[in-house]
Amino acid sequence: MAFGLIASSVAVPANATALSPHPALGAAGSVANKAAKICSSVPATVSKSHEIDVVLDDSGSMFIAPSPQRWSYVKYALMVFAAMLGPTDEMKVLLLSQKGAVAKTIQGTKSGPSQANVDAINAIQMHGGGTPWDAVPAARDDLARSKAQSRWLVLLSDGAFDHHTATSGEFSNWSKSLGTAGHTFDVGYLGAGAGAPTLASAPGFHPAKASDNISEILGKTADLANQIFGRAQLKPMGGSGTTIDPDIELETVLVLAQGNAKIGTPESGKDQDQPLDLLAEPVTIPQPSNPR
């Protein structure tokens, strides 16, 4: 299975970027039901620098029966997340099994979605074992040292932590104590599968829960990415040959799609005095593997 993310640049400056997790979305034009590549053009205007530290659960329950596909689904969504980084953004991935060691660090690029970033995430291997807590405060402390304007600790897990009960209040307190007006600190959480704890929202803490379904996990991850990067979501209209027709000026539209698709030529609106730009520079997000 491959996944597509397409960026289309509008010449008129704007403060909004559109992102949809749905498999059929056109960039101010038309698109068939499915796409398999990421194409990029001029990136969105960056209003903030972001550092995202992702703590990824690689316990055995993520890739053995009864849910051996859970690891693939979460890692697949994480590759999509990596492709969304802006030119001044940084993302670090910490595996629970490594108890605080950074497994991978990637940087956003000026040219848009990066194949190298996607491949770097796909190359991360799971190790199995328990669900130790150590990596979570390690990521918190790493972010506390960051000078990024927007700092996010993101947890992707399918169960409770060993010897520690995480609470909404604890994560909210981190946000309150480490955040300032110019350098915010937030915690995002995606619980994958029925065994993941259900945590309530709190100031600075943004939880979500998804079943073992790739579309749901991908959608929840895209929702979180929208929140982190300050993007708006545009709903597609119709099925095959669907279009979007936003009534606000957009600088960049990101299109997420799956399978084989044809992306139509973007059409400028009546008030658009410069053409849109859509470059066909493919970046493929593959079905993840875990070589041992």
Side-chain angles (χ1 to χ4, degrees):
M1 182 184 298
F3 175 82
L5 175 71
I6 297 177
S8 174
S9 173
V10 179
V12 175
N15 294 322
T17 299
L19 173 66
S20 172
H22 300 280
L25 176 63
S30 64
V31 60
N33 268 337
K34 299 179 179 180
K37 301 292 183 181
I38 291 181
C39 302
S40 64
S41 66
V42 181
T45 299
V46 177
S47 58
K48 288 184 178 181
S49 57
H50 301 85
E51 179 170 332
I52 304 102
D53 279 22
V54 178
V55 178
L56 180 58
D57 185 352
D58 65 335
S59 58
S61 60
M62 291 286 286
F63 61 99
I64 60 176
S67 301
Q69 77 282 9
R70 190 176 294 154
W71 162 247
S72 292
Y73 292 172
V74 171
K75 191 176 178 183
Y76 188 66
L78 189 57
M79 285 191 281
V80 175
F81 198 108
M84 298 175 187
L85 295 179
T88 62
D89 299 338
E90 178 177 86
M91 184 170 83
K92 297 178 182 178
V93 180
L94 298 85
L95 300 177
L96 285 183
S97 66
Q98 303 306 296
K99 300 182 178 180
V102 176
K104 193 69 62 176
T105 299
I106 60 175
Q107 306 282 341
T109 64
K110 292 182 179 180
S111 59
S114 164
Q115 182 70 62
N117 284 346
V118 170
D119 293 343
I121 297 300
N122 194 34
I124 296 175
Q125 295 186 40
M126 296 188 73
H127 298 276
T131 313
W133 170 249
D134 309 63
V136 183
R140 175 202 61 199
D141 295 343
D142 178 68
L143 285 168
R145 297 187 291 268
S146 171
K147 296 181 179 180
Q149 294 166 293
S150 173
R151 298 167 295 167
W152 278 79
L153 171 57
V154 176
L155 308 177
L156 301 176
S157 179
D158 70 344
F161 294 98
D162 298 339
H163 313 299
H164 185 91
T165 302
T167 66
S168 299
E170 179 177 25
F171 293 133
S172 183
N173 286 337
W174 291 359
S175 175
K176 181 178 180 180
S177 63
L178 296 175
T180 64
H183 300 273
T184 58
F185 187 102
D186 290 87
V187 180
Y189 168 76
L190 173 61
T198 300
L199 300 177
S201 298
F205 177 60
H206 315 274
K209 193 170 181 180
S211 62
D212 283 324
N213 177 285
I214 191 167
S215 295
E216 189 173 343
I217 289 174
L218 185 58
K220 296 292 186 181
T221 305
D223 289 342
L224 181 58
N226 282 339
Q227 187 169 13
I228 291 174
F229 298 119
R231 294 171 174 143
Q233 180 174 307
L234 296 178
K235 297 289 186 180
M237 298 179 294
S240 180
T242 193
T243 64
I244 60 170
D245 185 15
D247 56 4
I248 59 174
E249 296 175 350
L250 303 177
E251 180 170 281
T252 301
V253 176
L254 301 178
V255 182
L256 282 71
Q258 291 175 307
N260 297 315
K262 180 180 179 181
I263 304 300
T265 302
E267 300 173 358
S268 60
K270 291 185 294 185
D271 298 328
Q272 177 70 45
D273 57 4
Q274 298 185 50
L276 303 182
D277 176 34
L278 182 63
L279 301 181
E281 298 178 359
V283 176
T284 300
I285 299 181
Q287 182 72 18
S289 60
N290 190 45
R292 301 298 298 270

